[in-house]
Amino acid sequence: MTSAEAERRPLEPVFRQSTAALVADRVRDAIERGDLPPGSQLGEAELARQLGVSRGPLREGLQRLTQEGLLLSIRNRGLFVIEMTPDRVRDMYVARQAVERAAAEQIHLDDAPRAGAALMEITDTMRVTAAADDPSGVGAADIEFHDLLVRLAGSPRLSRMHRTLLTETRMGIHALDPTYEGDDVRVAEHRAIAQSFLDEDPAETDRLLQLHMADAVERLTAR
C-alpha cells in the first residue's frame, strides 16, 4: 500500500434513502393498513401520480416488494398484492418463529431483564386497550411487542427480515379475521414472554414463543 493510499480517509456513510426505498416503504405501509388489500392489482400510472415519482424509481421500489414476497408479478397481467392463504400464513409463521427465537437468544446473551421490562410496558398497554374493548389497540400493541423484541436483539438483518413478516402478519389478520377467546388471552401470552426475560430463563422464553406462534397459526387459519 502506498503512503497516499494509507492516508486516504474512508468514505462517509450515506444515510439518505433512495426514492425507490421510499416508494417501497410507502407501498408497504399501504399494504399493512389494508389500503391496498390482498389480491388487488397495482396500476403504475396511478401509483406514480399519488406518490409524485417517475416510473423508474416506482418500478424499482415495487421490485423490492416483489422480492420481499409482498407483491406477485403475473406475466401479461401485472403486479398484485399477495393473498394471505392458510398455507402462506403457516409459512410466514415458520419464518417469524425462526427470527424471533434467534432474537430472543441474543437478548438473553445481553441484558434480558432490561428487555423484559420494556416488553412488559407494552403488555400494560395491551391490558388497558383490552379492558376498553379496543381490539385494534390490542392488535397494534401486539405488533409493537414483537417488533421491539426483535429490535432489542440489535441485529439489523433480523430486523429487516422481520419488517416484511410483520407486514404479512397484519395482512393475515385483516384477511382471515381470527377470533380470540377474549383479548385477555393475548395479554396473558405476551406477559408470560416478557416475564421469562425478567426471570432470565431462555428455555422458557423459547418454549413460550413456540407455543405463541403455534396458537396464532391455529387461529389465523381456522375456517
Side-chain angles (χ1 to χ4, degrees), residues 13 25 68 78 95 101 123 128-130 141 147 165 176 222:
D25 286 344
E68 289 181 18
R101 290 174 69 191
T123 70
V128 170
T129 53
D147 179 48
L165 294 170
L176 300 178

Side-chain angles (χ1 to χ4, degrees), residues 8-223:
R8 288 176 184 166
R9 290 182 298 177
L11 295 175
E12 293 292 328
V14 176
F15 296 108
R16 182 180 177 184
Q17 279 190 298
S18 68
T19 301
L22 291 171
V23 166
D25 286 344
R26 296 292 187 276
V27 176
R28 188 187 296 106
D29 289 343
I31 292 172
E32 287 181 2
R33 294 191 304 269
D35 294 339
L36 293 173
S40 61
Q41 184 172 10
L42 303 188
E44 285 189 4
E46 177 61 17
L47 281 177
R49 185 190 64 78
Q50 290 184 22
L51 295 170
V53 298
S54 62
R55 294 289 185 94
L58 175 70
R59 287 170 178 165
E60 185 180 344
L62 297 179
Q63 179 61 29
R64 294 186 184 199
L65 297 182
T66 303
Q67 292 171 345
E68 289 181 18
L70 295 177
L71 299 180
L72 178 65
S73 178
I74 301 178
R75 189 173 181 180
N76 298 325
R77 290 188 59 196
L79 279 177
F80 297 81
V81 179
I82 63 166
E83 298 189 63
M84 291 306 295
T85 63
D87 283 344
R88 278 204 177 106
V89 169
R90 294 186 191 96
D91 188 53
M92 178 263 291
Y93 270 95
V94 168
R96 260 194 72 182
Q97 185 174 148
V99 169
E100 294 192 26
R101 290 174 69 191
E105 181 180 14
Q106 291 304 307
I107 290 171
H108 276 290
L109 293 174
D110 184 20
D111 190 349
R114 179 178 64 85
L119 292 169
M120 194 64 80
E121 286 185 13
I122 298 177
T123 70
D124 290 338
T125 300
M126 291 183 70
R127 184 168 54 186
V128 170
T129 53
D133 194 23
D134 177 10
S136 65
V138 175
D142 187 333
I143 294 294
E144 182 184 0
F145 181 98
H146 292 280
D147 179 48
L148 179 60
L149 190 158
V150 174
R151 285 191 287 111
L152 287 170
S155 169
R157 286 178 175 80
L158 285 179
S159 291
R160 283 197 299 271
M161 289 187 285
H162 201 238
R163 173 72 193 276
T164 298
L165 294 170
L166 287 184
T167 298
E168 292 182 281
T169 299
R170 289 186 179 94
M171 292 174 67
I173 290 172
H174 291 320
L176 300 178
D177 190 23
T179 56
Y180 281 81
E181 299 170 1
D183 283 319
D184 289 345
V185 173
R186 279 168 105 175
V187 176
E189 288 181 357
H190 288 82
R191 288 188 72 83
I193 294 169
Q195 186 62 50
S196 71
F197 285 110
L198 289 170
D199 294 339
E200 301 184 74
D201 189 342
E204 180 66 358
T205 302
D206 193 63
R207 185 184 74 84
L208 290 171
L209 281 174
Q210 291 185 71
L211 288 173
H212 181 61
M213 297 293 178
D215 178 65
V217 169
E218 182 178 349
R219 294 180 186 280
L220 284 167
T221 57
R223 292 292 186 173

